[in-house]
Amino acid sequence: MNENRLAELLKGVWRGQVPVREAVDLLKDLPYSELDIATLDTHRELRQGFPEVVFCQGKTRGQVREILGYMIRERTHNVLATRAEPALFAAVSDLHPDLRYNPLGRTIVLQRQPPETLEGTLAIVTAGTADLPVAEETYETASLFGAQIERIQDVGVAGVHRLLPHLPMLRRARVLIVVAGMEGALVSVVAGLVNRPVVAVPTSVGYGASFGGLAALLTMLNGCAEGVGVVNIDNGYGAACLAGSILRT
Amino acid sequence: MNENRLAELLKGVWRGQVPVREAVDLLKDLPYSELDIATLDTHRELRQGFPEVVFCQGKTRGQVREILGYMIRERTHNVLATRAEPALFAAVSDLHPDLRYNPLGRTIVLQRQPPETLEGTLAIVTAGTADLPVAEETYETASLFGAQIERIQDVGVAGVHRLLPHLPMLRRARVLIVVAGMEGALVSVVAGLVNRPVVAVPTSVGYGASFGGLAALLTMLNGCAEGVGVVNIDNGYGAACLAGSILRT
Amino acid sequence: MNENRLAELLKGVWRGQVPVREAVDLLKDLPYSELDIATLDTHRELRQGFPEVVFCQGKTRGQVREILGYMIRERTHNVLATRAEPALFAAVSDLHPDLRYNPLGRTIVLQRQPPETLEGTLAIVTAGTADLPVAEETYETASLFGAQIERIQDVGVAGVHRLLPHLPMLRRARVLIVVAGMEGALVSVVAGLVNRPVVAVPTSVGYGASFGGLAALLTMLNGCAEGVGVVNIDNGYGAACLAGSILRT
Amino acid sequence: MNENRLAELLKGVWRGQVPVREAVDLLKDLPYSELDIATLDTHRELRQGFPEVVFCQGKTRGQVREILGYMIRERTHNVLATRAEPALFAAVSDLHPDLRYNPLGRTIVLQRQPPETLEGTLAIVTAGTADLPVAEETYETASLFGAQIERIQDVGVAGVHRLLPHLPMLRRARVLIVVAGMEGALVSVVAGLVNRPVVAVPTSVGYGASFGGLAALLTMLNGCAEGVGVVNIDNGYGAACLAGSILRT
Amino acid sequence: MNENRLAELLKGVWRGQVPVREAVDLLKDLPYSELDIATLDTHRELRQGFPEVVFCQGKTRGQVREILGYMIRERTHNVLATRAEPALFAAVSDLHPDLRYNPLGRTIVLQRQPPETLEGTLAIVTAGTADLPVAEETYETASLFGAQIERIQDVGVAGVHRLLPHLPMLRRARVLIVVAGMEGALVSVVAGLVNRPVVAVPTSVGYGASFGGLAALLTMLNGCAEGVGVVNIDNGYGAACLAGSILRT
Amino acid sequence: MNENRLAELLKGVWRGQVPVREAVDLLKDLPYSELDIATLDTHRELRQGFPEVVFCQGKTRGQVREILGYMIRERTHNVLATRAEPALFAAVSDLHPDLRYNPLGRTIVLQRQPPETLEGTLAIVTAGTADLPVAEETYETASLFGAQIERIQDVGVAGVHRLLPHLPMLRRARVLIVVAGMEGALVSVVAGLVNRPVVAVPTSVGYGASFGGLAALLTMLNGCAEGVGVVNIDNGYGAACLAGSILRT
Amino acid sequence: MNENRLAELLKGVWRGQVPVREAVDLLKDLPYSELDIATLDTHRELRQGFPEVVFCQGKTRGQVREILGYMIRERTHNVLATRAEPALFAAVSDLHPDLRYNPLGRTIVLQRQPPETLEGTLAIVTAGTADLPVAEETYETASLFGAQIERIQDVGVAGVHRLLPHLPMLRRARVLIVVAGMEGALVSVVAGLVNRPVVAVPTSVGYGASFGGLAALLTMLNGCAEGVGVVNIDNGYGAACLAGSILRT
Amino acid sequence: MNENRLAELLKGVWRGQVPVREAVDLLKDLPYSELDIATLDTHRELRQGFPEVVFCQGKTRGQVREILGYMIRERTHNVLATRAEPALFAAVSDLHPDLRYNPLGRTIVLQRQPPETLEGTLAIVTAGTADLPVAEETYETASLFGAQIERIQDVGVAGVHRLLPHLPMLRRARVLIVVAGMEGALVSVVAGLVNRPVVAVPTSVGYGASFGGLAALLTMLNGCAEGVGVVNIDNGYGAACLAGSILRT
């Protein structure tokens, strides 16, 4: 209810067209039902192609099936499910013929609308082969957001020279996502070579004192290169969201 | 703006006494300025004697002086400042002649109104002498809330027999707050002896592997006695708030 | 042995009806066998409908079967078993025809007595779908305690507006339990909207740096909203116990 | 040395205008001295108004004085020194008459050039008074970068309604920085209300189990709102850098 | 080689009965082969009935079978294997007809000699049913050492009154072992009631923030009762060794 | 009140010499005031020379002065104060002319009674010079307990040969206390050389990743030598208590 | 491209033998393609016998098969795969008839070239049987590097005398690797006996408070013996690499 | 006492030149006093110029003065004291006129003998200005060991191009020490560029989530570059010792 509609209503009261009682009923719940922030929920609908997301980990197959089924039947958006193990996909694959499963990234995608077109490219830089599942989750998510993506793989910091041939590509990206486990130092090196926002995704890849990604996380938080924002361990989805929101600014 | 006032306003519009433009102005910001939740702020004012609180730690003396000065001049509530070192009190003591400082509990109190009267007693049980500063903070806060307080001191779990003579008092309390550092085991013992809510306050008292109160905190969280809610380390103020909210139920 | 019974016994001695030897035997073990605190054990029996509880995790199926069997055969109370995996329930389901299993909450209930009636409602607020198992454990426990429960689900803090329509219900509750994993921030928001005691249950839901619920636990302990008591990670049972003890005050 | 200049040089060799020996000398160090990435160092000079930065913590006064002195005498850039205690400023204040000290943010600024003009506003949202030093560091840094800044203070999540009147301002910002200690939950709430990139700065404000900002850091990393990038604890400078790099995209 | 034997040898040399070459050979390796500390290895053999021990966890079945086989065939001691899962026992049970398996304590025992007789009793106090596996490991180990054992079970600190009837037994023990998980507070209570050495064994029993026994470990280390020595989490074997060495003093 | 006294009282009632009312008064509080465990408090008095102890850390000077003053004036025991900084001793040194201060161990001792004589010697083994303060606290405490002490200093494990000449002394001790910071490995080596109980005291000596004694603590808990009980970090007092209770068995 | 080749090229340009266009093409990519550091990649090829390595953990079988297949078909180096579970070996064993699997060390080796010959011996000292898998990984790696290896097993610090007979061997080694879990103290003892570089490998062997190798890691970092370098937990491969690089100096 | 001297002694006995009694006295303590490992202590004396070391932190000024005084008066070695604050140096500077203090590295050096000459150079690479104190400690220690040192400063990984000009120097070093705080990623980059042993020294430089050097430590342990050995946080002395022992191999 914007200012114009409010004025119309009050004019109706003034003219005697709208009984006071009815106006009270319309207005008394205003703080809750018409609160501008409540329109957030429908915000997403306004942008065609924007996905609806299910985070599958910690949910039973029945719960995921129910949520996905609802999204597929009752809504028209693109759908993204993350952290979906193969057995889970098997349990929901009959819901729609166009469901596409990425076994490495453990994502299920249903693309029903062309994504929004975002300007500028997003570079996804991955340190090692074992970081690819997280990078794939990032890739699938960012693709649904409409990002134009370039990918660089297997450029761990222990061979920094392998990164140099990619410099032109790194530099023309508008945003970069760096996915790295182990010691996670790739983020500092990349962020030191560009002056664009870098989204850092620590992964739980590693062994010994990597403590499930804690080592990489701390490295990325303590890096002295400027322009780095860190997301949670293995949170490829979140990294794509942040990158997407930057590309939309 | 409650329903009656809203009806009055609309009647004024209907009668032509209130111009539509003016009513729009009054109503258009309703979601923000008159939002029911926004009345929370004045909620406290309705209950005479309820204190306003300043947490001094991490604030400069100038900041505390400014905030306290505003509360004293512009408001009529009771005032409580916690974590106030002696030097800080010295820097604000001229703001009002009735400011009272508790050097052990590091609290500053200005009581201008009689507190609300709460039914039932609150027992504050303290494990050791070194836990007294936190217990004092609890005591001062709960006193301003209007709680009737009984105190038991120096009843650490290593001499559980010292606790037994206090059983009747423990049992007649409606709520108990247990303040304990070191290993914090007093909470489990007390909670096992009563069937009232117990608020557990771990303190940073201890040495070696107490890790600043972490040991006591973990003990209290893992205790197998029922009916225990834990607050932050050294958070005597928070414990009193929780106990107060229970006494008011 | 209360004062009256003691006086009767001594009168019997004085009248010669009770031999000194016999009185000595009756009184000499008084500290242990008649100690008032020892009556705690039978305390529960006095309140009909109060459950007896088995925590199944870490016990073998044989141990659980033995304990449950004893409770069912030899006692008349309601029975609650928590952390009971489906296979465990299968192994004990023949013990009584009325055993009821909640597969989401992993609880086994045998209700043989109507629960105590507690005044006021308990609101159980759950952040996400994956927190439901803990919320179910809370629900089953509190139901056996006799609490009148209202439930609000899927109101994570990232969509704070989804919480607002529930404000009236939140405000009319006498006690609230907030169950949240991930960053656990829902507790601070809810506690800031009501002035009733809030029991906070961190869950191990989350990934990456949630560290098995540690992140949510720390958030809840450090929250600046007043009136919050925290229980152990995933401890839905403990939260219901604390809420029950508050409702009984 | 770009392709054209290289071609010119080689033509000079071909024409005999450039002796082979001289060309070898010019080219032999090419990989190091002319490496494109080596031009990064002078990158900053190309953008007038961009500051040069000294992080003072952990450096002796002599070291800071030497570095600052060099920057002031030999360069023409704007200068920013962070983590500068008052005594440190006293020790360097004579280096230039226009050095400006912010005692709350502990920054020293020498503005000699108008900053770059960045499009869109940056909102700096601060949870509590004790978080202001970090917010000030952010503010001073972002100002030198040329950001147009709007500030919202003291809007902790425990009074979420205090945040609502600021919604329009939050929504019109292109980037937001949220500075919060204690439980750090403000980030999730703010990020849930906007769909712009949010830079989260945990602060070491808090006590007990806040563990020097760890609690806030974990909260921010685990938040379920999308579009959040986290920087190091108390790293106001880093947050401004990330926000600046986003505004420049 | 003691002083007398050394003198005899040298006299042999002096008399010409022992050639110098032979004496050099006898003496040159003295530092290693005759070093007093090297006799430690045969120390155990001198005390009949003392067991030889295999810690099975982390060893393959083949490795355990080989070590046990050697002990059984080539030695005459009692044998104790700890952390032996049922499948492991199945894989070695044919090695000797008298091998005895304790499935709760996961121990394999071969008693071939009567144990040493130790004076005084050892009390093993267990907090909860789930702590029994560790208590059983303690019991089996201490039995082989020859300790006279009294056991008290299920006396968690949340019902401290249940402990009181056992006071006489606690007090007549020469050494006590307390096995407790969850918050581990039983140690402090027991140690406060006796003045004998108490060996504290934290167990990994618990959930949520017990962090695999860390909470109980910290509680036991920080306890303020005197006379407590702590062993590693779940280390029932080690506790029995320490108690045994105390009983032998 | 033992059985005989109870019989006497009842006979008085039977004979009419003691009125029933009076007997009720005497007996009704029996559970609390005469509870056998309550006699623990006077237990210490029965053993002449046993000290009373004040742990000074975390107490104000006024509090320590008050407690010490009471002990000195009203009691006749030996007195021990630990963690007493020089300034604290200066503030209480006038309480008694015989107060003796050990500045290295930070202990205050008032010996008024000859200590109990304990059989067998206690060896205190210290790894490095920086561990001496804790070793001194141990020494002073054990001396008051009446232990016969032998000391070995500066025998860190990095020079294991320096330990060997002390083997005879290590072996003749009935109990050993090993005080070590840094990596704390001395405990394992010593415990491997003797078969007596070893009390391990980790100290906060070290730097870098010693984390205030955590490294030494973990080493000692994880040591594979048998017969080791660990006390809290820097807890020299507690180690002496445990050793004393072993020597008294 | 060294200086001479550069001079030749330029002379060719000068003489007109090399067209400018061609020279530009050769030189323009110099920073990347001819950068001296880029030759690192082929560095390994120059030393015959040096292995190429695949770290299998965290990679799918398909990924490992592809990488190994490429190495075997397209290259001529020795090949080493670490962290290869038996099932993984089964999935790749058909790639080459000479693949050799070490089930204890979980390594796959294909030796096609004689290794480099390194001067001096490498001693691998292992604390316990359960540490052998890591020691085997070290052994296989170092063997491929060409190290001459001597092995000492089962010499835990709790029986330091068992180590002494090996002193001569320890002392003649040029480098030592010590593999130890539990408390990891063996490193300090060994490093105290030799004055050669010692590479310390903490293993995750242990239980209770060993926290997955953290205890051993901290011990090794905090050891006071000189000349020790620590690698990651369970990182047998990395230890061999470091030892190899020392032997090659 | 080697084999020859032993044979000589025994021949003397045989010839009657050495009385049996005297030979017994010489030989009876052999295991301890002549044990080969006991000669370690005098090992250092054989290498002229090798320093004797005092670690000052945690020692009182009196203790340091006593130890240093003894070394200066009674021995002839070079002397090194580390972690010596200026006030400490002031308290010992009169002990010898040639004591040299390095205020940045906090070292005291007394060079009385020319150091051993080690072949090959040691490169000390430092990430930032704030890491210099640790680097200075390394430099002073290594200098006394006789290492030829080259230093590279201020080459943090965020500007990896600044490192490239130093490549030739990095590559000609026989051993490298990398000193880095913050995220410590410099180690991985340097180790990836050379194939020499790299000693990694994490420093406690950093803020926020660097947790006193823990972040850098974990980074260095988890780095995927080969040939890295890590020492304790801020342990510049230990790094130099390890490097020295490698240079001596």
Side-chain angles (χ1 to χ4, degrees), chain C residues 43 110 163:
Chain C
H43 211 121
L110 175 59
L163 189 60

Side-chain angles (χ1 to χ4, degrees), chain H residues 118-213:
Chain H
L118 298 174
E119 221 178 304
T121 61
L122 162 67
I124 302 179
V125 187
T126 312
T129 306
D131 300 313
L132 282 178
V134 176
E136 286 292 309
E137 186 183 297
T138 297
Y139 177 81
E140 293 283 358
T141 307
S143 296
L144 273 183
F145 283 170
Q148 304 164 55
I149 304 173
E150 291 194 280
R151 310 182 72 175
I152 311 174
Q153 289 178 18
D154 212 13
V155 289
V157 74
V160 78
H161 56 286
R162 286 188 306 196
L163 189 61
L164 298 186
H166 301 289
L167 254 180
M169 186 175 121
L170 293 176
R171 294 231 167 123
R172 74 174 165 260
R174 244 183 101 205
V175 184
L176 301 96
I177 293 176
V178 179
V179 181
M182 310 288 284
E183 92 275 53
L186 183 61
V187 167
S188 295
V189 173
V190 168
L193 293 173
V194 303
N195 56 1
R196 294 297 192 173
V198 174
V199 180
V201 194
T203 74
S204 55
V205 169
Y207 57 123
S210 70
F211 297 126

Side-chain angles (χ1 to χ4, degrees), chain G residues 119-142:
Chain G
E119 222 178 304
T121 61
L122 162 67
I124 302 179
V125 187
T126 313
T129 305
D131 300 313
L132 281 178
V134 177
E136 285 293 308
E137 185 182 298
T138 297
Y139 176 82
E140 294 283 358
T141 307

Side-chain angles (χ1 to χ4, degrees), chain C residues 56-75:
Chain C
C56 300
Q57 188 176 305
K59 296 198 178 71
T60 66
R61 287 181 202 174
Q63 288 173 331
V64 172
R65 189 177 168 85
E66 187 180 342
I67 298 172
L68 271 185
Y70 171 83
M71 286 178 173
I72 289 170
R73 278 189 323 272
E74 310 291 329
R75 312 287 287 246

